[in-house]
Amino acid sequence: MDIAPWQAQLRKGAAELVVLAIVGRKECYGLQILEQANAAGDIVSDGALYPLLNRLEKDGKLASRWVTDDAAHPRKYYQLTAEGTETLGAMKSAWVSFRIAMRDVVEKTS
Amino acid sequence: MTNPLAAYLATLERALRSLPAEERASIIAEIRSHIEDSMAASGKPIEDVLDSLGDPLELASAYLDQRKLEDAVVRSAHGTLLIAILEQAGRSLVAALLGFFALFFYLCMVAFAAMAVLKPIIPQLVGLWWGPHIFAFAILEKAPTGGQELLGYAIIPVAIVLGVGSFLAGRALTRVGGRLLLRKTQVLG
């Protein structure tokens, strides 16, 4: 049974929350977000992250600035905007209820 | 031998040329920064790093899919909007239906405009015929034998009104459709 397409959809849905949650902890740049997102398993791919950051920034959920003095080349750092913080809060509580509901249904043993 | 990093970025930049120069430059700089940081952090060869970013054309289209709809909705550029909707048609039934009907209305508009323009030039071939064996509101190849032509030159204002009506209907559909699809693609990310 090929569950790869289903898994891809799961990741796609999770990516936005994962990115907002990571940026919400600390201002960071793309590669740092990838490292944290994928520390425990593949969630966000390199090729999906940057267009997603671009969109979140345009939607006003993230703000960015270029930092030139911590590496040989400039890095684009992201942080949450007020709107992003609000979105993250709402997504987080939706996620928690979803996770609880899923566990009750899917992982029930008897 | 060409530099794979430069080649990758050049392809990406070419594929993103519809974006404003400033945004495009920012995307290229960010991807370059990612590639250099990844190589330094993982010690992997450039080919592996580029592989995990994926095909530059696919990366570009991930940036553009979103962008195109957004722009067209904001500027209400109907041609662009219709094309953007039709491009989604393969993936979405809603988009396919919206695209079909919007296209239908735009084609009606063209047909009505053609009638208004052609009536003074070939008056006997443009008209509204009504009779026992014929009903036509059309531009015909040869004048019909049965039925009666009802409108005469009054068909010109009628066709103009219908043409404007079709245009407005098509425009309303592409606007509504664009907004709808935009919301959908944002949810899917």
Side-chain angles (χ1 to χ4, degrees):
Chain A
M1 190 57 206
D2 179 22
I3 61 163
W6 174 76
Q7 263 183 312
Q9 288 298 322
L10 268 189
R11 288 197 193 104
K12 212 169 174 185
E16 187 165 336
L17 173 57
V18 167
V19 168
L20 290 175
I22 291 169
V23 176
R25 282 199 287 273
K26 188 171 178 284
E27 185 186 34
C28 48
Y29 59 92
L31 190 60
Q32 290 178 319
I33 298 173
L34 281 171
E35 279 163 359
Q36 292 182 55
N38 301 324
D42 288 344
I43 295 184
V44 187
S45 73
D46 303 13
L49 175 74
Y50 292 96
L52 176 60
L53 288 171
N54 179 269
R55 177 165 72 69
L56 290 171
E57 186 178 6
K58 266 191 275 175
D59 288 352
K61 306 214 165 90
L62 296 180
S64 71
R65 65 190 179 105
W66 285 94
V67 174
T68 47
D69 46 12
D70 65 346
H73 50 266
R75 285 171 174 156
K76 194 175 182 184
Y77 278 78
Y78 293 88
Q79 60 186 71
L80 286 187
T81 61
E83 196 190 329
T85 310
E86 204 179 302
T87 306
L88 173 59
M91 286 176 84
K92 248 188 197 167
S93 49
W95 162 252
V96 171
S97 342
F98 183 74
R99 180 168 55 80
I100 293 169
M102 283 298 278
R103 190 193 55 204
D104 288 353
V105 175
V106 176
E107 299 173 28
K108 197 156 62 177
T109 46
S110 63
Chain B
M1 198 191 123
T2 55
N3 174 356
L5 173 61
Y8 189 93
L9 293 177
T11 307
L12 182 62
E13 181 155 22
R14 229 177 307 122
L16 291 173
R17 67 182 172 272
S18 61
L19 294 182
E22 198 183 326
E23 187 181 356
R24 188 171 58 228
S26 166
I27 290 173
I28 300 296
E30 187 175 29
I31 297 297
R32 175 196 293 277
S33 172
H34 165 85
I35 295 169
E36 288 173 352
D37 274 343
S38 292
M39 282 163 52
S42 64
K44 283 187 197 153
I46 175 107
E47 287 76 13
D48 290 10
V49 172
L50 295 181
D51 260 3
S52 65
L53 262 178
D55 185 89
L57 295 178
E58 256 169 57
L59 182 60
S61 88
Y63 278 104
L64 292 176
D65 270 359
Q66 186 61 30
R67 173 77 192 202
K68 228 183 294 175
L69 266 177
E70 256 170 20
D71 268 10
V73 169
V74 172
R75 285 188 285 118
S76 286
H78 308 112
T80 326
L81 199 45
L82 184 60
I83 291 167
I85 290 174
L86 289 174
E87 276 177 351
Q88 306 256 334
R91 276 173 277 163
S92 148
L93 182 62
V94 180
L97 288 174
L98 280 166
F100 175 79
F101 284 109
L103 198 58
F104 171 76
F105 280 119
Y106 282 126
L107 289 175
C108 285
M109 175 195 78
V110 172
F112 288 130
M115 290 171 82
V117 170
L118 288 175
K119 180 65 181 175
I121 305 170
I122 40 168
Q124 72 284 5
L125 298 180
V126 178
L128 169 65
W129 290 274
W130 180 273
H133 300 297
I134 182 167
F135 172 75
F137 183 78
I139 305 165
L140 300 176
E141 205 178 336
K142 56 179 187 196
T145 47
Q148 210 184 342
E149 208 284 305
L150 297 177
L151 282 173
Y153 282 98
I155 200 170
I156 295 174
V158 170
I160 290 174
V161 168
L162 288 172
V164 170
S166 303
F167 170 71
L168 292 176
R171 190 178 68 164
L173 269 182
T174 48
R175 271 202 189 150
V176 171
R179 294 239 159 79
L180 215 79
L181 290 177
L182 198 52
R183 211 169 310 141
K184 238 173 86 181
T185 48
Q186 274 178 355
V187 171
L188 292 176

